[in-house]
Amino acid sequence: MLTTNPYDDDKLREECGIFGVSATDGAAALVALGLHALQHRGQEAAGITTFDGHHFHTHRAMGHVAGNFDRDDVIRSLPGTVACGHVRYSTSGETALRNVQPLYAELSTGGFAVAHNGNISNAMRLRKELVRRGSIFQSTSDTETIIHLVATSNYRTLLDRFIDALKQVEGAYSLIVMTPEGMIACRDPLGIRPLVMGKLGDAIIFASETVALDVVGATFVRAVEPGELVIVQGSDVRSIRPFAPMAARPCIFEWVYFSRPDSIVGDHSVYSVRKAIGAQLAIESPVEADLVIPVPDSGTPAAIGYAQQSGIPFELGIIRSHYVGRTFISPGDKVRHLGVKLKHNANRALIKGKRVILVDDSIVRGTTSLKIVQMMREAGAAEVHMRIASPPTRHSCFYGVDTPERAKLLAAQHDLGGMTGFIHADSLAFISIDGLYKALGEAKRADIRPKYCDACFTGDYPTTLTDYDEGAEVDQFAMLAERVV
């Protein structure tokens, strides 16, 4: 059967990345390049929609951007000077072409295409009401709810209809919308998911991360502010803020894991923050050892920071193959277990007889950490200590991250001693929540109105969760089997 590599099973997944460009020739090719830079945010499917002044054109496909959008015939089938694109990683449930974005519909005002990063946490309630009123859904995506809310709004102009729709949804969203009138980019009032704006000549560009601007040669202008709508019509760019001001709560996990290390998120270099996290972790949880080893690749910057702060040498004790995809053919459990080494292998000559500190970005189910500790012991390590560059993940995310239900989160089921025993390490330590905030330049986490969304660590959700009533989490996750982002 076709199975996912065990190392990939045990990571939190950012569900998508978005990229849009207005007022440039060859817009589709530019979007394809931008999506390449955002591939880490979604690896199951990709799509691009363009507008040529008269008609909308869409190509959506399962799989990576490469192989689907690096073909001349595909790009030629997407004419126009305005385009937006999406890379996707699904939550539970159906992985199907009908859920691949951008989603497109013909409304009374004309064509309407939307690319969404985030999660609408009252989508099930809204969908039920819309269906009762006669809406016919074509996908199982919560993003389609926005389209139906726009279509059924009683306001006259498309912009007012769109704002009316956004005022009915809760949760997290960064959106790029295309209409015959132009492009709209926006973030939810808390700014939970990222979105930035850049410029390339006369073209205005929107992207989930600054690295996508770098790749296409665009200049970073600024972040789209929480609760802001940026409207682009030809060369005219204007901004409106239709929501009541709120204290922003951007997702703190963007700095821990989701964003590429060469991105800038909220005025912070992701790479520098991860190094600072590692240094803080070394201060909080020192241990005598011979080597600091990153779990590649996401643990590398934090491991560098830990090594520099502790004075313990940094070494590549785990070698990653970059030529292995997310899946491999496995006829049975034995071969599936051996398949782990297709992607990561111990540097035995370096490890034998050494006391090693493994640094990783997070522990979710714990299965990856267990396998890596076992790999170190099989390679002859004298001691194996695990240090994690985020606090324990004890709560599910409802804002656009593929998180297992709490029953499958290791930290929700065990205390520190139990987790240490589960992964068979000599010691285990996580950075504290205050330490994580210190790495981002804050003195510590505020007890009232913290600066970031850290709900996966603290359970402090910044919005209401209509679809996830307390005590009904298991049932809600079962319902999510029919819903993806």
Side-chain angles (χ1 to χ4, degrees), residues 334-350:
K334 182 177 180 181
V335 175
R336 173 178 165 84
H337 177 72
L338 292 175
V340 170
K341 295 182 180 179
L342 286 174
K343 196 164 189 177
H344 297 84
N345 193 40
N347 191 347
R348 289 178 174 270
L350 182 72

Side-chain angles (χ1 to χ4, degrees), residues 54-115:
H54 301 283
H55 304 286
F56 286 83
H57 309 269
T58 296
H59 183 81
R60 300 181 296 166
M62 307 306 297
H64 289 187
V65 179
N68 286 311
F69 291 96
D70 53 2
R71 294 162 35 202
D72 288 341
D73 60 322
V74 171
I75 297 302
R76 284 196 301 269
S77 73
L78 296 167
T81 60
V82 183
C84 69
H86 187 275
V87 288
R88 172 178 178 269
Y89 182 87
S90 68
T91 60
S92 305
E94 186 180 43
T95 299
L97 191 60
R98 65 176 177 158
N99 291 313
V100 180
Q101 298 186 32
L103 297 183
Y104 176 78
E106 288 283 349
L107 308 183
S108 61
T109 53
F112 186 93
V114 58

Side-chain angles (χ1 to χ4, degrees), residues 407-449:
K408 294 183 180 179
L409 293 172
L410 187 68
Q413 304 305 314
H414 299 279
D415 61 13
L416 184 62
M419 287 189 282
T420 306
F422 180 88
I423 67 172
H424 296 169
D426 290 287
S427 74
L428 170 66
F430 298 80
I431 193 170
S432 67
I433 189 68
D434 284 347
L436 181 56
Y437 272 73
K438 286 179 182 178
L440 279 157
E442 305 295 320
K444 66 175 187 176
R445 184 188 191 272
D447 293 331
I448 301 175
R449 292 186 180 177

Side-chain angles (χ1 to χ4, degrees), residues 261 270-276 278-279 294 297-306 314 359:
V270 174
Y271 179 78
S272 296
V273 169
R274 289 179 187 168
K275 280 184 64 179
D297 288 318
S298 56
T300 300
I304 293 172
Y306 193 104
F314 170 93
V359 180

